[in-house]
Amino acid sequence: MPVATPAQYRAMLDAAQQGGYAYPAINVTSLPTINGALRAFAEAKTDGIIQVSTGGGQFASGSSVSDAAFGAIVLAEATHRLAEKYDILVALHTDHCHPEKVDSFLKPLLQASRKRIAEGKGPLFQSHMFDGSVVPLAENLEISKQLLKECAELDIILEVEAGCVGGEEDGHDTSGLPAEKLYTTPEDMVAVYEALSPIGRFLFAATFGNVHGAYKPGAVKLKPTILRDGQKAVTDKHGADAEMDLVFHGGSGSDLADIRETLDYGVVKMNIDTDTQYAFTRPIVTHLCENIEGVLKIDGEVGNKKHYDPRSYLKKAEISLANRLKEAADDLRSTGNTIFGKV
């Protein structure tokens, strides 16, 4: 089953940490985006992470249902089936879940995994993100500890965040935050490690100036050395084995040098959404512009069914998304790195 088992997911993260690379983690919203992701990972011969946001789940459930957890379950179940055709491993993950959405989003997904495990299957998702960066760190860690305990019982990894990612994503806007909020301190990183490591495995989205969205070069001031300094504070106090698995959010438009530098400091996962959204949409726009008379029934004409058939442009979108994701795999040095068939 190319959707990783919990043991395979842990091995994926270990391989990335030891090999100095990271997995592209792409947000999906539909079958074409899932298929584009799987195509990219297979062609790049890399394992990867497919993830669903609350907004993505809500969209996938249908406009008349608008249930984020239900839509996430649908996308995850589809990925489990579609991934069977590929010879790489993928893990399923959910993106930012803020405290007010834990009961309506995260808890139902944990229950879905609990049900699958009772049926003799693995969990539906291999990891989930709780984003408590909107509340004080002490409160963030208290909630994180409770959620990690529940996740660990299901062999699921929890991703947490301390410090805020700037910008706007899925209706959550932190663009007005003061700059210092975008940088996690070494003290914060030590606190996260000490609170969570006794409970279970976790991923940590430490922030170093990250901003969601697309920006012109130079607009975002990343400081990857924050990750280095935070990891050093943890390992100086708790030993080399305490190095944490870090996550890079808001990477769209980042300089390659900054991306590569984070790999040296323990980043094993980088989220990619804005750039793949654009890659998916761009060929659709081109198709519509180049075939406008066929797509629209202009001046009472009948148009051209081949041009307005959604398959004609969604296929182009899927391939374009796959090509952009393969570029991300190259940037993150994950190309050619799969543990499929080895673990």
Side-chain angles (χ1 to χ4, degrees):
M1 292 291 290
V3 169
T5 64
Q8 286 172 325
Y9 187 35
R10 291 193 295 271
M12 281 172 56
L13 299 176
D14 290 341
Q17 189 68 263
Q18 293 161 13
Y21 61 90
Y23 298 107
I26 178 172
N27 284 33
V28 299
T29 56
S30 62
L31 292 183
T33 51
I34 294 170
N35 282 321
L38 291 169
R39 177 182 183 134
F41 294 144
E43 290 181 356
K45 294 181 172 56
T46 177
D47 299 327
I49 298 171
I50 288 176
Q51 58 189 30
V52 184
S53 67
T54 54
Q58 189 174 26
F59 172 81
S61 73
S63 57
S64 63
V65 176
S66 196
D67 184 325
F70 178 73
I73 290 169
V74 170
L75 292 172
E77 292 284 8
T79 302
H80 275 268
R81 294 300 304 273
L82 291 168
E84 293 175 6
K85 298 294 184 180
Y86 295 88
D87 58 357
I88 43 84
L89 290 174
V90 292
L92 282 159
H93 177 80
T94 55
D95 205 2
H96 296 268
C97 178
H98 297 103
E100 70 274 12
K101 294 185 177 180
V102 167
D103 288 340
S104 63
F105 186 68
L106 205 49
K107 293 284 188 175
L109 298 182
L110 292 174
Q111 183 55 35
S113 284
R114 192 173 288 108
K115 182 174 182 292
R116 280 177 59 93
I117 291 169
E119 295 169 349
K121 305 173 186 177
L124 183 61
F125 289 88
Q126 285 67 56
S127 56
H128 293 290
M129 181 185 185
F130 167 65
D131 182 357
S133 63
V134 294
V135 299
L137 183 61
E139 183 180 351
N140 179 357
L141 291 179
E142 282 305 309
I143 301 172
S144 295
K145 286 193 290 186
Q146 293 303 314
L147 289 172
L148 181 54
K149 181 180 178 183
E150 191 169 352
C151 285
E153 290 170 353
L154 300 171
D155 222 356
I156 291 171
I157 292 171
L158 183 70
E159 179 182 330
V160 300
E161 181 175 315
C164 288
V165 176
E168 187 276 332
E169 185 174 62
D170 262 359
H172 182 68
D173 191 349
T174 57
S175 57
L177 284 175
E180 63 267 19
K181 292 290 187 181
L182 304 180
Y183 302 98
T184 305
T185 67
E187 293 77 15
D188 291 343
M189 293 183 74
V190 171
V192 169
Y193 176 81
E194 292 179 344
L196 301 183
S197 61
I199 301 172
R201 188 156 186 175
F202 63 95
L203 295 162
F204 182 22
T207 60
F208 51 102
N210 324 49
V211 179
H212 288 131
Y215 298 86
K216 291 183 179 180
V220 176
K221 305 297 183 184
L222 294 178
K223 297 180 180 178
T225 52
I226 284 176
L227 305 182
R228 178 200 65 196
D229 296 344
Q231 290 276 40
K232 185 176 186 302
V234 172
T235 55
D236 281 353
K237 187 173 182 180
H238 296 283
D241 290 343
E243 183 176 7
M244 293 183 285
D245 296 322
L246 301 181
V247 180
F248 186 164
H249 283 250
S252 295
S254 298
D255 289 341
L256 180 59
D258 285 337
I259 292 173
R260 292 277 174 83
E261 186 177 356
T262 69
L263 306 182
D264 297 331
Y265 306 146
V267 166
V268 296
K269 170 180 179 278
M270 186 178 92
N271 289 12
I272 177 165
D273 186 28
T274 301
D275 286 347
T276 46
Q277 285 179 341
Y278 181 79
F280 187 85
T281 300
R282 186 67 175 81
I284 296 175
V285 174
T286 300
H287 174 93
L288 297 179
C289 291
E290 291 178 347
N291 300 286
I292 192 68
E293 292 188 2
V295 172
L296 299 180
K297 298 180 180 181
I298 296 174
D299 295 332
E301 294 297 326
V302 296
N304 186 328
K305 185 178 184 300
K306 290 183 179 179
H307 291 160
Y308 60 75
D309 182 339
R311 292 170 295 181
S312 65
Y313 48 84
L314 289 177
K315 184 183 297 184
K316 297 174 183 178
E318 176 188 317
I319 292 170
S320 178
L321 178 150
N323 288 337
R324 179 60 184 85
L325 191 55
K326 287 192 290 183
E327 182 182 329
D330 286 342
D331 290 348
L332 295 169
R333 299 196 183 109
S334 74
T335 300
N337 284 305
T338 176
I339 64 168
F340 178 76
K342 302 174 185 176
V343 178

